[in-house]
Amino acid sequence: MSDPADGTGGRTSAWTREHARRLERTAENTAPVIYPPESKTDPDNHIWDTWLLRTPEGAVADVGGYRVIVALTASNDLLPGKRHDVATHRFYYSADGRHWTPGGEVFDDADPLGSRQWAGSAVYDPETGDVRLYYTAAGVRAEGALSYTQHLAVAHGGSIETDAEDGVRFEGPWHHESLAHPDGEWYERQEQSRGMIYTFRDPWYFEDPETGEAYVLFEANTPVPEGSDACGGDAARQEFNGSVGIARTSKTDPTECELLPPLVDAVCVNQELERPHVVYREGTYYLFVASHRHTFAPGIEGYDALYGFAADSLFERYEPLNGSGLVATNPSNAPFQAYSWLAYGHRDEVLVTSFLNYYDYDRPTLDDVAYLPESEQFRRFGGTLAPTLRLGVDGRETWIRGALDHGHLPTEEEDLPETEDERIARLRAER
Ligand code: FRU
């Protein structure tokens, strides 16, 4: 399909039904039950998908002693299930990585693309001061009825400012530009979609540490035309066709974007491989995505969970972590307690942040939530940062080592406390 000279090999790795049949909750991949925190990350707004402002090389950016997160937000009075229809990017900053000060809307005085903005990524280059804010333009600006078209967009030309009095602020004017639309060949267009809504969203900037090349990863779907022999010709399974897309961009021109074949797809397996991102550890590329129980194809029992794959170079074959792809999931008595996991490296471990979603312990199915009285939907929705998970990582294996507090996002400089297991080992050795 692709030109072999483009350096990608043109191969798309498959997450297969055989891998996915091995999905199973274990002590290594099941997160502890979460209790709601005393106060929310943002007292006035629900927050959900969240990402750290990073340097182009992927480190947590330091802006005058602060680290910064950008999150999808909607007013607290909005019914949680309606939040996607009005999602607005707001930012928060923190000197200690534990207490987050609301900084306001990211695009205060500007007109971002789309009728609302969904997930993306944020890059700050401390050398040049350049800021790039990637996002999903969902719908069309100023549309009457909400539409669900999606494309990748970037805002650039603005800056990030800091001083002791005002903390941190993003300053426009921003140039909002469309980066990419699905091409219909590697990436499904809306009109080709045969199943649930198509996806073309969640742009995530990544510089390959081994080649120095710049890319944007994103969530998409692989076209599977009617009559295709995919999934043994099973039409019901063919509707599940999620992929992790990738495009080449430029370090100097944020608007440059050339689509390449997807890195991974999950045809016959899962419809949504959300918020793809890579963590590079000693020669291994760990590719993570979030997905839902209800987006698995018929016959596969999956979870709302963080899934992952590993490869020896960005365009090599990706193998599912732990054999199945499952990295971290919610406990069975609170299966929707967290979602939209985002992993980043911290010394020899990987930290994973997410948001507290529906923590309905007694009625743990998604449909139930929508049919509950509104007061119950509010009561059971977190809309705040969840405890940060600590992952051990070794080759193609991962395991949950423990958790930090709600919304605790350390930088590399911060020493983390011993985990429970380390503590037990120490106490036993001291006896
Ligand atoms: C994941 C997600 C993203 C999207 C956002 C919309 O939680 O589905 O893919 O950008 O939510 O709210």
Side-chain angles (χ1 to χ4, degrees):
M1 264 212 290
S2 75
D3 174 8
D6 68 8
T8 67
R11 269 184 312 179
T12 299
S13 306
W15 190 20
T16 65
R17 290 178 71 89
E18 197 186 331
H19 300 134
R21 263 194 289 270
R22 298 183 205 138
L23 293 170
E24 200 186 339
R25 280 197 179 90
T26 63
E28 279 71 42
N29 62 36
T30 305
V33 167
I34 303 174
Y35 289 92
E38 272 162 32
S39 54
K40 292 178 66 185
T41 310
D42 182 336
D44 300 322
N45 293 287
H46 304 304
I47 75 168
W48 63 106
D49 296 14
T50 301
W51 51 99
L52 281 150
L53 180 72
R54 295 172 302 126
T55 68
E57 295 78 32
V60 176
D62 178 324
V63 186
Y66 296 106
R67 72 207 75 169
V68 178
I69 51 176
V70 178
L72 301 189
T73 69
S75 167
N76 270 346
D77 3 327
L78 197 79
L79 196 65
K82 296 276 181 232
R83 67 188 193 279
H84 310 281
D85 296 353
V86 298
T88 303
H89 287 201
R90 285 189 168 79
F91 71 99
Y92 305 83
Y93 55 91
S94 173
D96 63 3
R98 293 166 178 271
H99 304 96
W100 296 94
T101 304
E105 289 189 23
V106 173
F107 303 125
D108 224 357
D109 51 355
D111 250 338
L113 301 176
S115 59
R116 66 272 190 213
Q117 290 70 47
W118 288 352
S121 53
V123 186
Y124 165 66
D125 188 339
E127 315 256 297
T128 60
D130 280 354
V131 179
R132 294 184 188 187
L133 301 170
Y134 292 89
Y135 62 94
T136 306
V140 179
R141 190 190 285 171
E143 65 193 354
L146 272 192
S147 74
Y148 288 86
T149 65
Q150 299 153 41
H151 75 277
L152 314 183
V154 64
H156 61 103
S159 63
I160 184 157
E161 309 291 336
T162 168
D163 56 55
E165 230 150 79
D166 295 332
V168 176
R169 59 191 187 277
F170 284 98
E171 243 165 51
W174 301 96
H175 306 295
H176 292 274
E177 319 228 20
S178 294
L179 260 189
H181 291 85
D183 63 343
E185 254 182 68
W186 290 326
Y187 299 108
E188 181 176 81
R189 297 200 178 109
Q190 185 164 20
E191 64 272 16
Q192 293 171 297
S193 171
R194 297 168 54 198
M196 302 172 178
I197 186 200
Y198 85 125
T199 70
F200 196 77
R201 58 181 187 242
D202 303 350
W204 192 82
Y205 183 84
F206 178 65
E207 277 185 22
D208 184 342
E210 291 186 3
T211 64
E213 300 276 326
Y215 298 94
V216 172
L217 274 68
F218 53 91
E219 171 183 5
N221 296 95
T222 296
V224 180
E226 251 164 83
S228 148
D229 55 13
C231 329
D234 184 325
R237 292 179 181 178
Q238 288 174 354
E239 293 178 12
F240 297 79
N241 57 347
S243 77
V244 173
I246 186 165
R248 193 195 307 281
T249 184
S250 145
K251 291 184 183 181
T252 48
D253 177 2
T255 64
E256 202 176 299
C257 185
E258 179 203 349
L259 293 177
L260 302 173
L263 292 181
V264 170
D265 70 17
V267 173
C268 323
V269 174
N270 192 304
Q271 218 266 346
E272 291 192 335
L273 307 186
E274 309 221 81
R275 299 189 67 200
H277 56 285
V278 172
V279 177
Y280 177 80
R281 318 288 295 160
E282 293 165 3
T284 303
Y285 293 70
Y286 291 95
L287 167 63
F288 294 102
V289 298
S291 198
H292 291 290
R293 182 175 87 169
H294 73 271
T295 57
F296 278 94
I300 295 176
E301 187 62 31
Y303 311 107
D304 277 39
L306 175 72
Y307 296 90
F309 307 85
D312 296 330
S313 80
L314 186 59
F315 293 102
E316 287 284 311
R317 197 165 71 84
Y318 283 84
E319 292 174 75
L321 291 169
N322 310 308
S324 68
L326 182 57
V327 173
T329 187
N330 297 318
S332 58
N333 58 340
F336 307 111
Q337 68 172 11
Y339 193 65
S340 218
W341 294 266
L342 183 90
Y344 69 103
H346 184 280
R347 302 190 195 171
D348 60 355
E349 60 188 308
V350 168
L351 302 179
V352 182
T353 178
S354 64
F355 75 97
L356 183 55
N357 198 6
Y358 290 104
Y359 50 99
D360 52 336
Y361 310 109
D362 16 304
R363 303 184 59 172
T365 80
L366 251 197
D367 288 348
D368 278 350
V369 180
Y371 293 112
L372 287 173
E374 293 196 352
S375 59
E376 284 301 291
Q377 296 185 43
F378 279 112
R379 193 172 68 76
R380 290 158 194 259
F381 183 69
T384 187
L385 288 175
T388 301
L389 292 176
R390 301 174 66 173
L391 281 188
V393 174
D394 183 12
R396 270 49 174 165
E397 312 247 301
T398 64
W399 61 98
I400 294 176
R401 304 176 64 218
L404 303 171
D405 284 344
H406 288 262
H408 179 190
L409 302 180
T411 61
E412 282 271 340
E413 281 73 54
E414 189 175 325
D415 295 322
L416 299 184
E418 24 174 44
T419 63
E420 273 302 282
D421 285 349
E422 286 162 358
R423 182 152 175 265
I424 290 165
R426 180 173 55 77
L427 292 175
R428 288 178 59 129
E430 282 170 8
R431 272 218 301 220

